Structures are given as structure tokens and as C-alpha cells.
Amino acid sequence: MVADLPVGQCLHDHPGYYNAFALAPGYLGMTPAVGSLLWTASSEAVGDELDLHVTATHLLDGSLSPTGGAIVLAAALVQPESRGTITLASRNPKDPPIIDSNFLGTGRDARRMVEAVKLGRDIARHPVFAPFSAGEMIPGDAVGEGTLAEVVGANLAVYGHPTSTAPMGSPTDPWAVVDSLGSVTGVHGLRVVDASIIPEVPSATTNLTVIMLAERIFQRAFAR
Ligand SMILES: Cc1cc2nc3c(=O)[nH]c(=O)nc-3n(C[C@H](O)[C@H](O)[C@H](O)COP(=O)(O)OP(=O)(O)OC[C@H]3O[C@@H](n4cnc5c(N)ncnc54)[C@H](O)[C@@H]3O)c2cc1C
């Protein structure tokens, strides 16, 4: 043992749900139907949190739709409070690790996730949007208020933004693994600079944040 650090104990990621609609026959030309993002506050947001995304995407093969075209209103909770874990399955580096995202690990997260899906459904049923839709495919109109939470919880998607498995913090933070320049606590000459050191997942997609982090640490640690 070189350093006993809480690696993998604060995994943070965005849970999502693909709310899918068949495109109306007159609007199949919308495929791929990408291009807008609603970024807003849930009814349980605290302060200036913008904790929900609803993104119009083409992430469903049109051949799965009865009309030959589909649009997804992808709902995501982008300021979750639940934390998951990643642990080694064995000492063999070729064994995949054990990842527990612990999505919707709190009641507040579960309620906000459902709120995001309802927001997407409201948009799809709005008179402005409705002409483009030939009906909801997933979860489908049969899934109403009473069962929506259960269906969403059982069919979550990942937004693909895992962070915080080697979080940046001060020496007194019990959850910290690296300092503000990515140096691993107690291990001389080892730096981590990637999404894992972001202490809390940002309420946005993470690629630009990682690039910013890398450029900033390079400038502070190495640039003369
Ligand atoms: C499906 C998907 C879609 C996404 N879409 C978006 C998006 O639209 N916009 C956005 O902002 N973010 C998006 N993200 C998130 C974004 O891609 C990540 O947050 C970001 O790439 C993380 O950067 P990273 O440097 O931490 O890891 P990575 O980009 O994963 O880089 C890790 C690198 O290490 C290499 N590697 C691994 N093992 C070894 C080894 N043993 N030796 C040498 N090299 C190794 C890998 O090949 C890889 O190149 C998406 C993520 C996923 C999974």
C-alpha cells in the first residue's frame, strides 16, 4: 500500500431517460432531428441550480418507428445528489471494474428525474409540437402518472458524463484524492488530469470542462 485514498467513492453522473416519439409521416425529413436543449430548474432546485435537461435528439433508429422516423426528447437530471462507486473486481487489470452509478439514490433525485420526463411530455403534447408527432413510443401513452416513476426508474439511460472518482480537494477533505493541480495525495510525481478529478459533475456535458481543466493545470503546473 502506497497511499490509502478514497478512489472511486464519489462517482457522480447524470441519469437520463429516452422519451421517444414517432415522427408524423409529413415530417420524416426531420431525421436526424437534433438541435435544441432545454436547460432549466426543477421545482426542487436549490438557489440558482439548473438541474434538468430536455434535449431533442435523433438517438433512436427511425426503423424502430411505425412511421419510419423518430425523435427523442432525452430527459436528464444534471445536478444529482446521489453518488455511486467504482471498485476493482480483482488485482487483474484486465477484469472490468464494478460500477454502481447509484442513480436516483435519493427520493429528491427520483422526483426530479420524473419531473424532467413530464416536462418533455408536456412539450411533445403542446399544440406547437403535436403536429410533428405520430404518438409516443417510449414509454407510451399507456404509462400514466401512477406508473411513470416506476417505468422511468427501471429504464434509465446514462448521459455519459461520469466524474469525481479521484476528486480534487484540500488535504482536510476526507473524500479528496488529488490537489488543485492534480497531484495525488501521498504519491510523489503522480498527477491525474481528466474527468475523474472534477469534484462535482457540472450541470452540462463534460468534454469542454475536461479540456479547460487540462489546459489550466498545464499552465499552472508547467508553463513558464
Ligand atoms: C457516449 C458518450 C457521448 C458523449 N457525448 C458528449 C458530448 O456530446 N459533449 C460533451 O461535452 N461530452 C460528451 N461526453 C463526455 C466526454 O466525452 C467525457 O467527459 C470526456 O471525454 C472525458 O475525458 P477524459 O479525458 O476524462 O476521458 P477520455 O476522453 O475517456 O480519455 C481517456 C483516454 O485514455 C485512453 N486509455 C485508457 N486506458 C489506457 C491505457 N491503459 N493506456 C493508455 N491510454 C489509455 C483512452 O483510450 C482514452 O483516449 C460523452 C461521453 C460518452 C461516453
Side-chain angles (χ1 to χ4, degrees), residues 114-144:
V114 171
E115 193 172 331
V117 177
K118 284 186 185 170
L119 200 52
R121 281 183 137 183
D122 286 348
I123 291 169
R125 289 167 183 168
H126 188 278
V128 172
F129 189 104
F132 301 109
S133 168
E136 188 179 88
M137 294 166 59
I138 305 171
D141 292 327
V143 176

Short mmCIF file of all heavy atoms in Angstrom, two decimals, residues 114-144:
data_model
loop_
_atom_site.label_atom_id
_atom_site.label_comp_id
_atom_site.label_asym_id
_atom_site.label_seq_id
_atom_site.Cartn_x
_atom_site.Cartn_y
_atom_site.Cartn_z
N VAL A 114 -38.27 12.30 -12.79
CA VAL A 114 -39.62 12.14 -13.34
C VAL A 114 -40.15 13.51 -13.82
O VAL A 114 -40.80 13.60 -14.87
CB VAL A 114 -40.57 11.50 -12.31
CG1 VAL A 114 -42.01 11.53 -12.80
CG2 VAL A 114 -40.14 10.07 -12.03
N GLU A 115 -39.81 14.54 -13.08
CA GLU A 115 -40.25 15.89 -13.48
C GLU A 115 -39.67 16.25 -14.85
O GLU A 115 -40.36 16.85 -15.68
CB GLU A 115 -39.79 16.89 -12.42
CG GLU A 115 -40.45 18.25 -12.57
CD GLU A 115 -40.13 19.19 -11.40
OE1 GLU A 115 -39.90 18.71 -10.27
OE2 GLU A 115 -40.10 20.41 -11.64
N ALA A 116 -38.42 15.85 -15.10
CA ALA A 116 -37.81 16.14 -16.41
C ALA A 116 -38.55 15.40 -17.52
O ALA A 116 -38.80 15.97 -18.60
CB ALA A 116 -36.33 15.73 -16.40
N VAL A 117 -38.93 14.15 -17.26
CA VAL A 117 -39.66 13.38 -18.29
C VAL A 117 -41.02 14.03 -18.54
O VAL A 117 -41.47 14.17 -19.70
CB VAL A 117 -39.81 11.91 -17.86
CG1 VAL A 117 -40.64 11.14 -18.90
CG2 VAL A 117 -38.43 11.26 -17.68
N LYS A 118 -41.69 14.44 -17.47
CA LYS A 118 -43.00 15.08 -17.64
C LYS A 118 -42.89 16.37 -18.43
O LYS A 118 -43.77 16.70 -19.24
CB LYS A 118 -43.61 15.38 -16.26
CG LYS A 118 -44.17 14.17 -15.55
CD LYS A 118 -44.85 14.67 -14.29
CE LYS A 118 -45.35 13.53 -13.44
NZ LYS A 118 -45.79 13.99 -12.13
N LEU A 119 -41.80 17.09 -18.20
CA LEU A 119 -41.57 18.33 -18.94
C LEU A 119 -41.46 18.02 -20.44
O LEU A 119 -42.07 18.70 -21.28
CB LEU A 119 -40.27 18.95 -18.43
CG LEU A 119 -39.97 20.41 -18.65
CD1 LEU A 119 -41.13 21.28 -18.19
CD2 LEU A 119 -38.69 20.77 -17.90
N GLY A 120 -40.70 16.97 -20.78
CA GLY A 120 -40.57 16.57 -22.18
C GLY A 120 -41.91 16.18 -22.76
O GLY A 120 -42.27 16.55 -23.89
N ARG A 121 -42.70 15.42 -21.98
CA ARG A 121 -44.03 15.02 -22.45
C ARG A 121 -44.93 16.23 -22.69
O ARG A 121 -45.68 16.29 -23.65
CB ARG A 121 -44.68 14.09 -21.43
CG ARG A 121 -44.17 12.67 -21.48
CD ARG A 121 -44.91 11.81 -20.49
NE ARG A 121 -45.26 10.52 -21.08
CZ ARG A 121 -45.97 9.58 -20.46
NH1 ARG A 121 -46.42 9.79 -19.23
NH2 ARG A 121 -46.24 8.44 -21.06
N ASP A 122 -44.84 17.20 -21.78
CA ASP A 122 -45.66 18.42 -21.95
C ASP A 122 -45.28 19.14 -23.24
O ASP A 122 -46.15 19.67 -23.95
CB ASP A 122 -45.47 19.36 -20.75
CG ASP A 122 -46.16 18.85 -19.51
OD1 ASP A 122 -46.97 17.91 -19.62
OD2 ASP A 122 -45.87 19.38 -18.42
N ILE A 123 -43.98 19.19 -23.51
CA ILE A 123 -43.52 19.85 -24.75
C ILE A 123 -44.09 19.10 -25.96
O ILE A 123 -44.62 19.69 -26.89
CB ILE A 123 -41.98 19.88 -24.80
CG1 ILE A 123 -41.43 20.82 -23.74
CG2 ILE A 123 -41.49 20.29 -26.19
CD1 ILE A 123 -39.93 20.72 -23.53
N ALA A 124 -43.99 17.77 -25.92
CA ALA A 124 -44.45 16.98 -27.07
C ALA A 124 -45.94 17.10 -27.30
O ALA A 124 -46.41 16.99 -28.43
CB ALA A 124 -44.05 15.52 -26.87
N ARG A 125 -46.67 17.32 -26.22
CA ARG A 125 -48.14 17.40 -26.35
C ARG A 125 -48.61 18.84 -26.59
O ARG A 125 -49.80 19.08 -26.79
CB ARG A 125 -48.79 16.83 -25.08
CG ARG A 125 -48.63 15.33 -25.00
CD ARG A 125 -48.97 14.77 -23.65
NE ARG A 125 -48.73 13.32 -23.63
CZ ARG A 125 -48.71 12.59 -22.53
NH1 ARG A 125 -48.93 13.13 -21.37
NH2 ARG A 125 -48.48 11.30 -22.61
N HIS A 126 -47.69 19.77 -26.57
CA HIS A 126 -48.06 21.17 -26.82
C HIS A 126 -48.54 21.31 -28.27
O HIS A 126 -47.99 20.66 -29.18
CB HIS A 126 -46.84 22.07 -26.58
CG HIS A 126 -47.16 23.53 -26.60
ND1 HIS A 126 -47.27 24.24 -27.77
CD2 HIS A 126 -47.42 24.41 -25.59
CE1 HIS A 126 -47.58 25.50 -27.48
NE2 HIS A 126 -47.67 25.63 -26.16
N PRO A 127 -49.55 22.15 -28.50
CA PRO A 127 -50.08 22.28 -29.87
C PRO A 127 -49.02 22.64 -30.92
O PRO A 127 -49.16 22.28 -32.09
CB PRO A 127 -51.12 23.41 -29.75
CG PRO A 127 -51.49 23.45 -28.31
CD PRO A 127 -50.33 22.93 -27.53
N VAL A 128 -47.96 23.33 -30.51
CA VAL A 128 -46.93 23.69 -31.49
C VAL A 128 -46.13 22.46 -31.93
O VAL A 128 -45.74 22.33 -33.09
CB VAL A 128 -45.97 24.76 -30.88
CG1 VAL A 128 -44.78 25.00 -31.80
CG2 VAL A 128 -46.72 26.05 -30.62
N PHE A 129 -45.90 21.54 -31.01
CA PHE A 129 -45.09 20.36 -31.30
C PHE A 129 -45.95 19.21 -31.84
O PHE A 129 -45.49 18.42 -32.68
CB PHE A 129 -44.37 19.92 -30.01
CG PHE A 129 -43.32 18.85 -30.19
CD1 PHE A 129 -41.97 19.18 -30.16
CD2 PHE A 129 -43.67 17.51 -30.38
CE1 PHE A 129 -41.00 18.21 -30.31
CE2 PHE A 129 -42.71 16.53 -30.54
CZ PHE A 129 -41.37 16.89 -30.51
N ALA A 130 -47.16 19.12 -31.33
CA ALA A 130 -48.00 17.95 -31.60
C ALA A 130 -48.12 17.56 -33.08
O ALA A 130 -48.11 16.36 -33.40
CB ALA A 130 -49.38 18.16 -30.98
N PRO A 131 -48.20 18.50 -34.02
CA PRO A 131 -48.33 18.09 -35.43
C PRO A 131 -47.16 17.25 -35.94
O PRO A 131 -47.31 16.48 -36.89
CB PRO A 131 -48.40 19.42 -36.19
CG PRO A 131 -48.83 20.42 -35.18
CD PRO A 131 -48.30 19.96 -33.88
N PHE A 132 -45.98 17.39 -35.32
CA PHE A 132 -44.80 16.64 -35.77
C PHE A 132 -44.81 15.19 -35.26
O PHE A 132 -44.02 14.37 -35.71
CB PHE A 132 -43.51 17.31 -35.28
CG PHE A 132 -43.36 18.73 -35.74
CD1 PHE A 132 -43.50 19.78 -34.85
CD2 PHE A 132 -43.12 19.01 -37.08
CE1 PHE A 132 -43.38 21.10 -35.28
CE2 PHE A 132 -43.00 20.33 -37.52
CZ PHE A 132 -43.13 21.37 -36.62
N SER A 133 -45.66 14.92 -34.29
CA SER A 133 -45.61 13.63 -33.60
C SER A 133 -46.76 12.72 -34.05
O SER A 133 -47.90 13.17 -34.18
CB SER A 133 -45.69 13.86 -32.09
OG SER A 133 -45.93 12.65 -31.43
N ALA A 134 -46.42 11.45 -34.24
CA ALA A 134 -47.46 10.45 -34.54
C ALA A 134 -47.66 9.56 -33.32
O ALA A 134 -48.06 8.41 -33.44
CB ALA A 134 -47.05 9.62 -35.75
N GLY A 135 -47.34 10.08 -32.15
CA GLY A 135 -47.60 9.34 -30.93
C GLY A 135 -46.34 8.98 -30.18
O GLY A 135 -45.26 8.87 -30.75
N GLU A 136 -46.52 8.81 -28.89
CA GLU A 136 -45.38 8.47 -28.02
C GLU A 136 -45.07 6.98 -28.13
O GLU A 136 -45.96 6.15 -27.98
CB GLU A 136 -45.70 8.85 -26.57
CG GLU A 136 -44.51 8.70 -25.64
CD GLU A 136 -44.83 9.11 -24.21
OE1 GLU A 136 -45.29 8.24 -23.44
OE2 GLU A 136 -44.63 10.28 -23.86
N MET A 137 -43.81 6.66 -28.40
CA MET A 137 -43.40 5.25 -28.48
C MET A 137 -42.89 4.74 -27.13
O MET A 137 -43.17 3.62 -26.72
CB MET A 137 -42.28 5.10 -29.52
CG MET A 137 -42.71 5.39 -30.95
SD MET A 137 -41.28 5.58 -32.03
CE MET A 137 -40.48 4.00 -31.86
N ILE A 138 -42.05 5.54 -26.47
CA ILE A 138 -41.44 5.14 -25.20
C ILE A 138 -41.62 6.28 -24.20
O ILE A 138 -41.20 7.39 -24.50
CB ILE A 138 -39.92 4.86 -25.36
CG1 ILE A 138 -39.66 3.82 -26.44
CG2 ILE A 138 -39.31 4.43 -24.04
CD1 ILE A 138 -38.18 3.66 -26.78
N PRO A 139 -42.25 6.07 -23.05
CA PRO A 139 -42.79 4.79 -22.60
C PRO A 139 -44.13 4.44 -23.22
O PRO A 139 -44.58 3.30 -23.08
CB PRO A 139 -42.94 5.02 -21.08
CG PRO A 139 -43.20 6.47 -20.94
CD PRO A 139 -42.39 7.12 -22.02
N GLY A 140 -44.80 5.39 -23.87
CA GLY A 140 -46.12 5.10 -24.47
C GLY A 140 -47.23 5.71 -23.62
O GLY A 140 -47.09 5.85 -22.40
N ASP A 141 -48.31 6.06 -24.30
CA ASP A 141 -49.40 6.76 -23.61
C ASP A 141 -50.03 5.93 -22.49
O ASP A 141 -50.65 6.48 -21.58
CB ASP A 141 -50.48 7.17 -24.62
CG ASP A 141 -49.96 8.25 -25.57
OD1 ASP A 141 -49.13 9.07 -25.13
OD2 ASP A 141 -50.37 8.25 -26.74
N ALA A 142 -49.87 4.60 -22.55
CA ALA A 142 -50.48 3.76 -21.51
C ALA A 142 -49.80 3.98 -20.16
O ALA A 142 -50.36 3.65 -19.11
CB ALA A 142 -50.37 2.29 -21.91
N VAL A 143 -48.58 4.52 -20.19
CA VAL A 143 -47.87 4.78 -18.92
C VAL A 143 -48.27 6.17 -18.44
O VAL A 143 -47.86 7.19 -19.00
CB VAL A 143 -46.34 4.69 -19.11
CG1 VAL A 143 -45.63 5.05 -17.81
CG2 VAL A 143 -45.95 3.30 -19.58
N GLY A 144 -49.10 6.20 -17.43
CA GLY A 144 -49.62 7.47 -16.93
C GLY A 144 -48.94 7.86 -15.63
O GLY A 144 -47.93 7.28 -15.20
#
